[in-house]
Amino acid sequence: DTAVSQTPKYLVTQMGNDKSIKCEQNLGHDTMYWYKQDSKKFLKIMFSYNNKELIINETVPNRFSPKSPDKAHLNLHINSLELGDSAVYFCASRGDGYNSPLHFGNGTRLTVT
Amino acid sequence: QKEVEQNSGPLSVPEGAIASLNCTYSDRGSQSFFWYRQYSGKSPELIMFIYSNGDKEDGRFTAQLNKASQYVSLLIRDSQPSDSATYLCAVNWREYGNKLVFGAGTILRVKS
């Protein structure tokens, strides 16, 4: 059983297109995240949702819009894709408490040409 | 100072040696600290976490935390070639809704 699953694994698209990445977790966690990992491997938080409510919204272009239909799902929609959006996007979930670790999905490698 | 700082490496150690990975952080009411390992093309996987000053051991891994110095480290004993990966330090920021902030990672290479 995959704990945190995201689709698609690879996404190749052209500049200006709109794309979505889906994420689902079966761990029963209330909090889910989107992280972006750039070519230098730096993992940067983008958004966090707790039980469908937006908790963390980092300085991210408003072309990026997360949506959480329920606490087990967190999707990421990206409008008007740019070359700089090319990266690996990781979904993660986390249980309650500051000692709870993040559980990552396998990542979506987005390539914008 | 960056929020979470790590030496990017690569850190090269011979097989069987102790690898020492270091991380410094800005104090923002941080409470807990995590070490993740990431193999190339894979997602980060948790090695261990620590929240009290001192040492915490788990198998070949020991995490060390010194909150006064804002320093956390990971020791890997009897390093194996399979330990070759990027090691990510993460700090939990309490005042930002328990946000987990990562360092840039240290590349470890264990040579057989």
Side-chain angles (χ1 to χ4, degrees):
Chain A
D1 284 346
T2 303
V4 183
S5 60
Q6 55 181 109
T7 55
K9 188 172 174 64
Y10 300 98
L11 196 48
V12 181
T13 188
Q14 292 182 326
M15 280 194 302
N17 285 347
D18 304 338
K19 290 294 178 186
S20 292
I21 307 172
K22 295 186 176 181
C23 179
E24 176 181 4
Q25 56 98 1
N26 63 5
L27 296 168
H29 292 160
D30 285 342
T31 309
M32 296 184 72
Y33 300 80
W34 280 111
Y35 278 82
K36 177 182 179 180
Q37 189 168 45
D38 59 25
S39 57
K40 294 183 179 179
K41 305 302 182 186
F42 184 56
L43 201 59
K44 185 173 171 57
I45 189 169
M46 301 173 69
F47 302 103
S48 167
Y49 271 76
N50 181 277
N51 202 9
K52 303 191 294 178
E53 180 184 352
L54 183 65
I55 299 298
I56 296 171
N57 186 351
E58 293 293 288
T59 308
V60 175
N62 57 16
R63 299 181 295 103
F64 290 79
S65 53
K67 280 188 173 55
S68 181
D70 56 61
K71 74 175 192 177
H73 295 83
L74 179 61
N75 304 321
L76 183 65
H77 188 76
I78 316 170
N79 290 325
S80 303
L81 278 155
E82 300 178 357
L83 292 176
D85 297 332
S86 295
V88 180
Y89 292 83
F90 286 101
C91 176
S93 72
R94 191 180 185 191
D96 291 336
Y98 59 84
N99 285 337
S100 296
L102 282 171
H103 296 259
F104 286 91
N106 288 330
T108 296
R109 181 175 294 278
L110 171 65
T111 304
V112 182
T113 61
Chain B
Q1 181 191 1
K2 290 181 183 176
E3 292 182 313
V4 182
E5 201 150 1
Q6 296 180 256
N7 188 323
S8 61
L11 172 67
S12 291
V13 300
E15 183 175 357
I18 296 175
S20 178
L21 303 157
N22 304 315
C23 175
T24 57
Y25 61 91
S26 300
D27 187 12
R28 304 236 177 117
S30 38
Q31 290 176 298
S32 51
F33 307 84
F34 300 82
W35 283 100
Y36 282 81
R37 176 175 62 196
Q38 186 175 26
Y39 292 111
S40 182
K42 301 294 186 182
S43 57
E45 54 182 351
L46 178 72
I47 298 174
M48 62 190 305
F49 72 89
I50 187 169
Y51 58 89
S52 298
N53 275 327
D55 295 359
K56 180 181 178 183
E57 188 174 316
D58 185 358
R60 295 187 297 114
F61 299 97
T62 299
Q64 298 175 318
L65 174 61
N66 184 326
K67 289 187 178 182
S69 300
Q70 295 171 210
Y71 177 94
V72 58
S73 64
L74 180 71
L75 300 178
I76 307 174
R77 289 182 298 281
D78 188 23
S79 295
Q80 301 297 309
S82 59
D83 293 327
S84 298
T86 299
Y87 288 80
L88 302 167
C89 170
V91 179
N92 186 80
W93 296 136
R94 177 180 51 193
E95 68 182 75
Y96 295 107
N98 278 327
K99 179 170 72 171
L100 214 58
V101 177
F102 284 82
T106 298
I107 297 170
L108 174 66
R109 293 185 182 149
V110 181
K111 298 182 178 179
S112 56

